[in-house]
Amino acid sequence: MFLLTNELVFPDVQLADENGMLAIGGDLSVKRLTLAYKSGIFPWFNQGEPIIWYSPDPRMVLFPSELKISKSMKQVLRKKEFKVTFNQNFEQVIFNCKHIFRAADQGQTWITDEMQKAYVNLHKKGIAKSVEVWQNNELVGGLYGIDLGTIFCGESMFSKVSNASKMAFIYLVKKLETENYKLVDCQVYNNHLASLGAREIPREEFLKYLKST
């Protein structure tokens, strides 16, 4: 694993280990984070740990045309129980993503205070964006990520009521499809996103999409 300095560079992603771990250190400045995402790299670490940078192989992605919506979810969409907005309350979305209880993570979060501040800064620069899901004027779900122009790098989502995070994701993908985005970067495999149509592709293929943005 490579130790980063103040110099704004990353090692070649091909040097990442089998878990995708590439480098350690550096900072979460707007410039470094932007360079990281454009290079197929993202930070992932826990509170109290140094910054760790990853570039996994394979890479989990969703091509907008491959979005899968289950019959039950189609019924939810038809009921119009939710209202969906874009970029209306980024700070509350990331706050909820940070504080929502996740049994799989034993209640811990990788969205540290430092990460939260860094992505709010990215949002203020128009780079990080959010999707909000409302029910009876209450924020009940949402997600946020990094917008690279033709690729959206999903970071985290939350749901306070059933189907709210799925609603955010579906609305996002449909919007991206109309705007001719190539794919949504989902980073690493998980069953929830696989059920929505996401799949793994070789990192090399993912990087080719990145280079053509």
Side-chain angles (χ1 to χ4, degrees), residues 4 6 12 27 41 62 73 76 106 118 130 165 182 192 209:
L4 299 182
N6 291 331
D12 190 314
D27 56 60
I41 302 164
L62 183 131
M73 197 63 207
V76 173
Q106 299 180 327
S130 61
S165 62
K182 296 171 184 173
H192 176 62
Y209 283 105

Side-chain angles (χ1 to χ4, degrees), residues 140-167:
V140 295
L143 62 82
Y144 73 94
I146 304 300
D147 189 347
L148 296 180
T150 58
I151 290 177
F152 187 91
C153 303
E155 274 298 314
S156 186
M157 59 176 65
F158 81 96
S159 188
K160 291 184 176 180
V161 300
S162 182
N163 296 316
S165 62
K166 282 186 180 179
M167 181 72 68

Side-chain angles (χ1 to χ4, degrees), residues 7-109:
E7 188 180 2
L8 200 61
V9 294
F10 284 99
D12 190 314
V13 296
Q14 304 297 336
L15 298 171
D17 69 15
E18 60 183 11
N19 297 313
M21 195 178 297
L22 177 66
I24 188 170
D27 56 60
L28 296 176
S29 66
V30 168
K31 286 185 177 180
R32 189 180 293 276
L33 282 168
T34 303
L35 174 62
Y37 282 96
K38 287 182 176 179
S39 305
I41 302 164
F42 58 87
W44 193 10
F45 61 101
N46 294 316
Q47 192 78 41
E49 294 179 348
I51 302 169
I52 304 173
W53 302 88
Y54 288 82
S55 184
D57 187 17
R59 191 80 168 215
M60 187 77 163
V61 305
L62 183 131
F63 296 96
S65 63
E66 296 180 5
L67 175 67
K68 294 179 182 177
I69 305 175
S70 66
K71 288 183 180 179
S72 60
M73 197 63 207
K74 285 178 180 177
Q75 291 177 341
V76 173
L77 289 164
R78 282 196 293 269
K79 288 180 182 178
K80 297 184 178 179
E81 295 177 352
F82 300 105
K83 176 185 176 183
V84 180
T85 58
F86 296 93
N87 258 340
Q88 296 302 303
N89 205 329
F90 183 91
E91 293 194 27
Q92 277 301 304
V93 169
I94 193 170
F95 176 86
N96 279 282
C97 287
K98 177 180 179 179
H99 291 283
I100 201 81
F101 179 80
R102 304 176 201 275
D105 298 327
Q106 299 180 327
Q108 295 184 337
T109 178

